[in-house]
Amino acid sequence: QAKLDVGVALLSTHRLIWRDGKNHDCCISMPLSQIIFFEEQAAGIGKSAKIVIHLHPAPVNKEPGPYQHSKYSFIKLSFKEHGQIEFFRRLTEEMTQKRWESTPASQPIPTGTGSQAGRIRAVGIVGIERKIEERRKETDKNISEAFEDLSKLMVKAKEMVELSRSIANKIKDKQGDITEDETIRFKSYLLSMGIANPVTRETHGSGTHYHLQLAKQLGTMLQAPLEERGGMMALTEVYCLVNRARGMELLSPEDLVNACKMFELLKLPLRLRVFDSGVMVVQLQSHSEEEMIASALDNVSDKGSLTAEEFALLGLSVLLSKERLLLAEKMGHLCRDDSVEGLRFYPNLF
């Protein structure tokens, strides 16, 4: 067991190389063909992350090393300054491709004997700055690779959207052959897959034209969810629902509000409403305020009294429940008891 500290691990298509960080003349290499398998060991308190490499028995004609014989059949690479994730990924690629079997090995790397050209010792401020720059480059590289993976994911997402559109068309064609429960389940799957062709600034420009096109798409998308929720949804709920369906093409809150303001101009069956408290909701044009007040009054009369939280148990959000109760109070049908226990509403008997 040879303990070699403060070095640099290098990886080629044929060899794993360790070079001493202080004495560049000290360099050890090992053929990748000697590796059986390798695994990661996570970092712990006071311990650095490691890669454990398990090896075949040493060949008879092996070159001299720190020890000619060893009772251990593995080596450990300890990464004290990070980089183990990238090294493990690269090692996995080389072990999978096994390029040493198809290409001849290159010449041994120079050990620094003879000419000292190219040897640079990083000391002082210059050394610290060089290390920071190397870490920055590694971070930039990892970010670039992450975005490449994200691009591949978006390509797959488009395929899933096309599949969702195909399923939606089949549901329409076979409406009589599919039960209502199955239809609802399919629609929930389609919603999770997203909007087929989301309106974006790239496709429809910016400004009023963009908001008009976005409003048309929202009018189509929100019709069914509003009907299922009694004709009204808080704008925060709409925001979450829409962005979930749009996938990677997220909307800003400002764009959503501006698009909702276009409902009335486009004569869509939806309206943006702002309560006296400032709460903004999207509701169906056919949504009756009288029915909403009557429903709140009936429920409060049946229970004797209700808080917004208790009213929300009937299937509404707490925010909308409170607004309905406040609206019924404003019209004189309810009165309130505001105490340390909270805000409770009673039928107005005065």
Side-chain angles (χ1 to χ4, degrees), residues 205-342:
S206 59
T208 304
H209 179 67
Y210 167 64
H211 293 133
L212 286 171
Q213 296 301 318
L214 184 59
K216 291 179 182 178
Q217 189 171 72
L218 292 176
T220 303
M221 177 199 170
L222 295 175
Q223 186 81 26
L226 282 168
E227 291 174 354
E228 294 172 2
R229 290 167 172 79
M232 180 183 292
M233 289 175 64
L235 198 60
T236 51
E237 293 181 72
V238 173
Y239 178 78
C240 295
L241 185 70
V242 170
N243 276 330
R244 176 188 171 196
R246 288 174 66 90
M248 302 302 298
E249 302 291 346
L250 300 181
L251 275 183
S252 69
E254 182 182 5
D255 284 338
L256 178 62
V257 172
N258 289 332
C260 291
K261 290 178 179 178
M262 300 291 181
F263 288 156
E264 189 170 359
L265 178 65
L266 294 171
K267 298 181 179 180
L268 296 173
L270 277 64
R271 292 291 182 270
L272 176 67
R273 176 174 181 174
V274 183
F275 285 103
D276 294 340
S277 62
V279 173
M280 305 176 78
V281 299
V282 174
Q283 66 180 38
L284 294 173
Q285 186 180 9
S286 59
H287 188 71
S288 171
E289 184 174 293
E290 290 74 16
E291 291 180 3
M292 185 170 61
I293 295 173
S295 174
L297 178 59
D298 291 342
N299 281 285
V300 172
S301 299
D302 291 342
K303 302 292 183 179
S305 65
L306 280 178
T307 63
E309 291 78 9
E310 293 169 346
F311 193 19
L313 296 176
L314 301 177
L316 297 170
S317 67
V318 176
L319 185 65
L320 291 184
S321 298
K322 183 177 180 180
E323 292 301 329
R324 290 194 177 196
L325 292 171
L326 290 173
L327 184 60
E329 180 195 31
K330 181 181 178 181
M331 301 304 294
H333 299 291
L334 299 178
C335 59
R336 68 168 68 187
D337 177 24
D338 198 350
S339 66
V340 293
E341 296 180 353

Side-chain angles (χ1 to χ4, degrees), residues 103-115:
T103 56
S106 60
Q107 295 297 320
I109 64 169
T111 60
T113 56
S115 173

Side-chain angles (χ1 to χ4, degrees), residues 101-144:
E101 295 180 351
S102 57
T103 56
S106 60
Q107 295 297 320
I109 64 169
T111 60
T113 56
S115 173
Q116 299 296 314
R119 180 189 297 182
I120 300 174
R121 293 195 64 188
V123 294
I125 299 297
V126 176
I128 295 173
E129 290 178 345
R130 185 173 294 121
K131 282 188 176 181
I132 293 174
E133 180 65 18
E134 289 173 356
R135 289 178 184 173
R136 184 191 65 77
K137 289 181 179 178
E138 183 178 353
T139 302
D140 290 346
K141 186 177 182 181
N142 291 337
I143 292 174
S144 299

Side-chain angles (χ1 to χ4, degrees), residues 30-31 33-35 55-64 68-69:
M30 180 192 70
S33 58
Q34 283 293 109
I35 298 176
L55 307 171
H56 289 290
V60 179
N61 61 343
K62 92 173 189 69
E63 297 179 3
Q68 193 63 25
H69 301 284

